[in-house]
């Protein structure tokens, strides 16, 4: 891959696990490491990578669907794990003690400059964890935003995603499917709350604003298997952005789905 390229691929996304590969052309890293280390290794292999190609992991927050694979992952291939201090303290004790040697601790918002000059900027995201961040990755004249767990779009989130060429954004649920579904009332309230997960309608609202700001590709992430479908999510968001020529794709729960490759948005599953 040439130095001018960037590749962003969701290896899998959903309540069972979340993991995204970013390849800047000279540096390769993961955003989150949920699921299993085997699933991550298998997903990388399908794309032509191995664990030894990775230089780091950036964690959004401490929930297990974003961190479960970390202990096994670093046993197989030791590498730095970038995480906020609050999230690190909230990891399960067994994981935290083992991972301590690999953790690179940061404040709630931080920026890491990679060896090729690209920047990974963490920004605060409203979610019911002790601390949750999204990421804006800037490489030369390209920028990609990742915000996959958020109850609502704060001004901070909007400001950091605005102007990104491509964005991986949560579209967790259809509100009517949640209200009419089998979940207990308490869980329904959590999902629909400002600290829970972003609905298709809320995703569509910010997607329209991002499209007007120049975003050309959207990858819908963290879809609920019980309260959403890829078709419903894509249709809802597409209505808000199709006039701007934006491609919209839903990330698969178990297979790799590309957001951006060599600077060109590609809508299909890889």
């Amino acid at each position: 891959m040439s130095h001018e390229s960037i590749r962003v691929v969701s290896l899998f996304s959903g309540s069972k696990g979340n993991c995204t590969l970013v390849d800047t052309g000279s540096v390769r890293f993961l955003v989150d490491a949920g699921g299993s280390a085997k699933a991550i290794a298998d997903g990388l292999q399908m794309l032509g990578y191995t664990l030894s190609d990775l230089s780091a992991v950036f964690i959004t927050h401490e929930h297990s669907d974003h961190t479960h694979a970390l202990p096994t992952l670093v046993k197989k291939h030791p590498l730095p794990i970038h995480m906020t201090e609050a999230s690190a303290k909230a990891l399960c004790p067994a994981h935290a003690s083992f991972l301590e040697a690999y953790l690179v601790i940061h404040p709630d918002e931080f920026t890491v400059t990679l060896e090729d000059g690209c920047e990974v900027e963490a920004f605060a995201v409203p979610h019911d964890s002790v601390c949750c961040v999204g990421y804006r990755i800037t490489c030369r004249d390209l920028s990609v935003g990742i915000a996959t767990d958020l109850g609502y779009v704060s001004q901070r989130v909007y400001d950091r995603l605005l102007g990104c060429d491509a964005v991986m954004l949560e579209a967790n649920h259809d509100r009517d499917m949640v209200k009419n579904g089998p979940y207990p009332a308490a869980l329904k309230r959590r999902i629909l709350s400002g600290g829970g997960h972003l609905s298709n309608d809320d995703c569509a609202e910010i997607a329209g604003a991002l499209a007007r700001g120049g975003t050309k590709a959207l990858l819908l992430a963290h879809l609920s298997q019980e309260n959403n479908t890829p078709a419903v999510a894509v249709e809802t968001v597409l209505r808000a952005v199709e006039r701007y020529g934006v491609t919209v794709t839903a990330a698969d729960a178990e297979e790799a789905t590309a957001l951006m490759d060599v600077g060109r948005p590609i809508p299909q599953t890889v």
Side-chain angles (χ1 to χ4, degrees):
M1 188 176 296
S2 69
H3 184 69
E4 291 75 21
S5 66
I6 182 172
R7 189 182 201 190
V8 180
V9 183
S10 167
L11 300 184
F12 43 83
S13 177
S15 59
K16 294 181 180 179
N18 298 271
C19 184
T20 300
L21 168 72
V22 180
D23 183 347
T24 71
S26 56
V27 176
R28 288 149 292 281
F29 60 90
L30 299 179
V31 174
D32 286 332
S36 69
K38 183 180 185 305
I40 293 173
D42 289 346
L44 290 171
Q45 184 177 23
M46 288 182 62
L47 298 171
Y49 301 90
T50 67
L51 292 177
S52 61
D53 292 321
L54 301 175
S55 61
V57 182
F58 288 83
I59 298 297
T60 58
H61 63 294
E62 75 281 357
H63 288 168
S64 62
D65 57 327
H66 297 259
T67 60
H68 183 265
L70 284 175
T72 304
L73 194 69
V74 296
K75 283 180 184 178
K76 294 178 179 293
H77 177 61
L79 73 175
I81 302 168
H82 295 272
M83 185 183 297
T84 67
E85 182 176 11
S87 288
K89 289 180 178 178
L91 284 173
C92 75
H95 284 185
S97 59
F98 175 80
L99 294 173
E100 186 175 0
Y102 307 97
L103 292 176
V104 181
I105 301 299
H106 297 279
D108 292 357
E109 295 195 333
F110 61 91
T111 299
V112 174
T113 301
L114 305 176
E115 63 187 54
D116 61 358
C118 294
E119 288 189 345
V120 181
E121 177 191 359
F123 54 90
V125 168
H127 186 54
D128 59 358
S129 61
V130 298
C131 184
C132 189
V133 299
Y135 289 103
R136 180 171 179 141
I137 301 149
T138 303
C139 295
R140 297 160 291 278
D141 60 347
L142 294 173
S143 57
V144 177
I146 298 176
T148 60
D149 287 68
L150 59 164
Y152 66 96
V153 178
S154 65
Q155 186 65 46
R156 181 62 171 161
V157 172
Y158 174 73
D159 289 344
R160 300 323 300 141
L161 295 181
L162 187 64
C164 286
D165 298 280
V167 174
M168 184 175 177
L169 183 64
E170 181 173 53
N172 176 259
H173 60 273
D174 176 88
R175 286 199 188 105
D176 289 337
M177 291 177 71
V178 174
K179 292 175 182 177
N180 299 322
Y183 279 4
L187 182 54
K188 290 182 180 182
R189 286 194 296 271
R190 183 244 170 183
I191 293 171
L192 297 171
S193 74
H197 292 277
L198 205 65
S199 70
N200 294 341
D201 289 333
D202 289 338
C203 180
E205 183 176 355
I206 185 174
L210 295 178
R212 291 189 291 274
T215 297
K216 292 302 180 186
L218 290 166
L219 183 61
L220 310 184
H222 217 304
L223 273 67
S224 168
Q225 292 183 305
E226 294 79 15
N227 298 303
N228 210 353
T229 69
V232 168
V234 169
E235 180 182 4
T236 302
V237 176
L238 193 58
R239 285 198 297 266
V241 301
E242 59 185 342
R243 75 188 71 176
Y244 304 104
V246 178
T247 62
V248 181
T249 311
D252 195 280
E254 299 180 354
E255 296 183 359
T257 317
L259 169 61
M260 175 174 279
D261 203 349
V262 198
R264 297 190 303 271
I266 57 176
Q268 74 276 9
T269 298
V270 294

